[in-house]
Amino acid sequence: MANVVVVGAQWGDEGKGKIVDWLSEQADIVVRFQGGHNAGHTLVINGATYKLALLPSGVLRPSKLSVIGNGVVFDPQAFLDEVERLQGQGVAVSPDNLRVAENVTLILPLHRELDALRETASAATAIGTTRRGIGPAYEDKVGRRAIRLMDLADHQTLPHKIDRLLAHHNALRRGLGLPEFDGAVILKELMALAPQLLPYAETVWRLLDIKRREGKRILFEGAQGALLDVDHGTYPYVTSSNTVAAQAATGTGMGPGAVGYVLGICKAYTTRVGQGPFPTEQDNEIGRKIGERGREFGTNTGRPRRCGWFDAVLVRQTVRTCGIGGLALTKLDILDGFDSIQVCTGYRLDGKEIDHLPAGEGAQARVEPIYETIEGWKEPTANARSWADLPAQAIKYVRRVEELVGCPIALLSTSPEREDTILVQNPFEA
């Protein structure tokens, strides 16, 4: 009986929310282990739409315990707003079913402001962040000056921690010609939030260790995608955290041995939000058709996603860097009706064929995709719930994807609804 890690195998927006929600029925605990409220999930359950950003998808299952791990950066106001919104939709969210790591790093207004200032300073240096303060908060974490959730309970040391934080940020603001932050104001704001936040605080590594020893099933929910990993992604057009599966251990305080089966999520095509390389991008009628049919707009930002053909090179690469044991292929139905479908099987760089995406920014921008053409299908795959419901040519496409990425398809999703899922291999029983 394995614990399961769910990670995005592309640039995020692969449909992880639905898959995590689907798997959470079998789990006892659902844990977010990295990222922040820049990672949105849209779930459709019995016709109702739920939009999550910071909270684990498990909160939509009444009997499950949801956990936000220490690898997340935590915006207090965004958290309280999201809790209030879900409660307004009839979802019970309280310390009874949601815990937050006491050592989680807080995102403060100064982080959001700095993020926006950097992103708007120059088009040449913009990387397409969501301007929600994620990067600056992670910077303060590794700079050892962050304010953490448990600090709100220590009224004696918190003022000194704020002073240490502002020694850095006010120097930056002076350099930008901006007024400095007043530590007393920040202290007052945090003290006002403390009574609402501290009831959720938990020693998460200990909690998860106890639950694992009791035989509970743990589902680790990743945000964004492996190609946005700060080490293994398309740097510098990446997020500020590690998004690969190994972060499930670091971001929760569990040892690597407690992390079991890795399920990668990928679309039957490819999308990307923001700047950065995208070898198979179709900035043409095909890309627009995919985007319109797939409703490719960011859950949090509303930004249209860039769309293109499936890139087997990139997914094969993330299968390796994440140790993925099986893939969940989503949005197959968006490709219904195409006469032919292109799949990228390799790259050409400066006249030479290569089988991976190089790490250098310049080389990534120069790679040219090598395509294989696959016959399309006219019959619908939407709402299919078994292999027998799929057109023969759609099955051939799925099998070819498996061959090219070197990893089996464990799940197939054919609509946003929970029930429209074809199970090939149960990750919890792998």
Side-chain angles (χ1 to χ4, degrees):
M1 186 171 66
N3 296 322
V4 175
V5 184
V6 175
V7 293
Q10 295 162 313
W11 278 294
D13 309 309
E14 302 97 346
K16 293 183 295 298
K18 173 196 166 171
I19 301 299
V20 169
D21 173 65
W22 191 85
L23 288 169
S24 66
E25 185 175 16
Q26 304 172 63
D28 300 296
I29 304 165
V30 183
V31 190
R32 270 285 305 273
F33 59 84
Q34 52 74 222
H37 65 305
N38 57 335
H41 293 326
T42 300
L43 294 94
V44 181
I45 302 171
N46 297 326
T49 299
Y50 301 90
K51 294 182 182 293
L52 303 178
L54 182 58
L55 301 189
S57 300
V59 296
L60 300 178
R61 298 275 185 181
S63 62
K64 310 302 178 182
L65 175 63
S66 292
V67 175
I68 295 176
N70 57 274
V72 173
V73 283
F74 182 85
D75 186 314
Q77 194 57 60
F79 170 77
L80 295 173
D81 289 346
E82 189 168 333
V83 168
E84 182 179 7
R85 185 174 67 252
L86 287 174
Q87 289 172 339
Q89 291 185 271
V91 179
V93 183
S94 75
D96 293 333
N97 66 336
L98 176 64
R99 309 288 175 79
V100 182
E102 61 183 358
N103 54 337
V104 73
T105 292
L106 301 186
I107 298 175
L108 305 179
L110 57 82
H111 295 125
R112 293 193 297 270
E113 186 173 341
L114 179 59
D115 202 2
L117 285 168
R118 287 172 171 170
E119 194 66 13
T120 57
S122 168
T125 58
I127 60 173
T129 76
T130 57
R131 308 184 187 191
R132 293 170 188 254
I134 308 298
Y138 274 117
E139 289 176 37
D140 284 341
K141 177 179 179 177
V142 298
R144 295 166 293 186
R145 54 180 173 264
I147 307 298
R148 303 193 290 177
L149 179 58
M150 60 190 175
D151 294 330
L152 304 191
D154 191 338
H155 297 182
Q156 290 187 327
T157 63
L158 183 55
H160 304 298
K161 291 177 181 293
I162 293 173
D163 288 342
R164 183 170 58 193
L165 177 69
L166 291 184
H168 173 79
H169 279 273
N170 280 338
L172 288 177
R173 294 179 68 82
R174 286 193 297 272
L176 294 168
L178 298 171
E180 297 184 13
F181 281 108
D182 185 341
V185 172
I186 294 176
L187 177 63
K188 183 179 179 180
E189 291 173 346
L190 290 176
M191 286 297 93
L193 291 169
Q196 302 172 74
L197 300 174
L198 288 174
Y200 292 92
E202 180 66 75
T203 307
V204 159
W205 67 265
R206 183 175 179 275
L207 171 69
L208 295 179
D209 182 64
I210 291 171
K211 296 297 184 182
R212 183 176 69 89
R213 292 175 187 277
E214 291 176 352
K216 302 298 185 183
R217 284 180 167 181
I218 303 173
L219 179 60
F220 299 92
E221 178 181 5
Q224 296 126 337
L227 294 171
L228 293 175
D229 186 274
V230 70
D231 287 303
H232 300 288
T234 49
Y235 192 91
Y237 303 100
V238 293
T239 193
S240 297
S241 63
N242 287 109
T243 58
V244 293
Q247 180 65 15
T250 308
T252 61
M254 301 194 77
V259 177
Y261 183 92
V262 180
L263 179 70
I265 317 295
C266 64
K267 288 175 179 169
Y269 50 96
T270 311
T271 64
R272 169 159 212 175
V273 172
Q275 306 298 315
F278 186 169
T280 64
E281 181 174 14
Q282 298 297 300
D283 188 13
N284 52 31
E285 187 57 37
I286 291 173
R288 286 187 287 275
K289 182 178 180 180
I290 292 173
E292 290 169 4
R293 295 183 63 179
R295 298 180 182 178
E296 295 295 351
F297 298 91
T299 298
N300 277 332
T301 64
R303 291 185 295 183
R305 299 177 184 134
R306 300 155 63 190
C307 299
W309 295 119
F310 186 82
D311 191 330
V313 181
L314 291 181
V315 176
R316 184 170 63 238
Q317 193 161 320
T318 58
V319 164
R320 305 298 188 272
T321 59
C322 288
I324 292 171
L327 288 168
L329 191 67
T330 66
K331 291 197 167 185
L332 181 66
D333 54 303
I334 305 305
L335 298 181
D336 292 356
F338 280 91
D339 293 328
S340 61
I341 298 167
Q342 302 277 79
V343 176
C344 176
T345 60
Y347 296 138
R348 190 172 289 105
L349 176 62
D350 301 332
K352 296 181 180 179
E353 291 190 13
I354 58 174
D355 62 358
H356 67 283
L357 186 70
E361 181 180 358
Q364 289 177 354
R366 295 197 308 276
V367 295
E368 301 172 8
I370 299 171
Y371 285 117
E372 175 181 306
T373 301
I374 299 176
E375 181 184 345
W377 55 90
K378 298 300 181 182
E379 302 89 346
T381 64
N383 310 116
R385 298 183 182 180
S386 72
W387 286 107
D389 296 333
L390 295 175
Q393 196 56 42
I395 295 175
K396 288 182 180 179
Y397 179 77
V398 173
R399 294 306 186 199
R400 183 57 178 150
V401 166
E402 285 183 316
E403 292 175 354
L404 290 171
V405 302
C407 185
I409 302 297
L411 293 162
L412 196 62
S413 171
T414 57
S415 95
E417 291 284 352
R418 269 180 182 169
E419 294 77 12
D420 294 334
T421 306
I422 300 172
L423 175 65
V424 182
Q425 179 186 51
N426 189 333
F428 280 111
E429 298 174 358

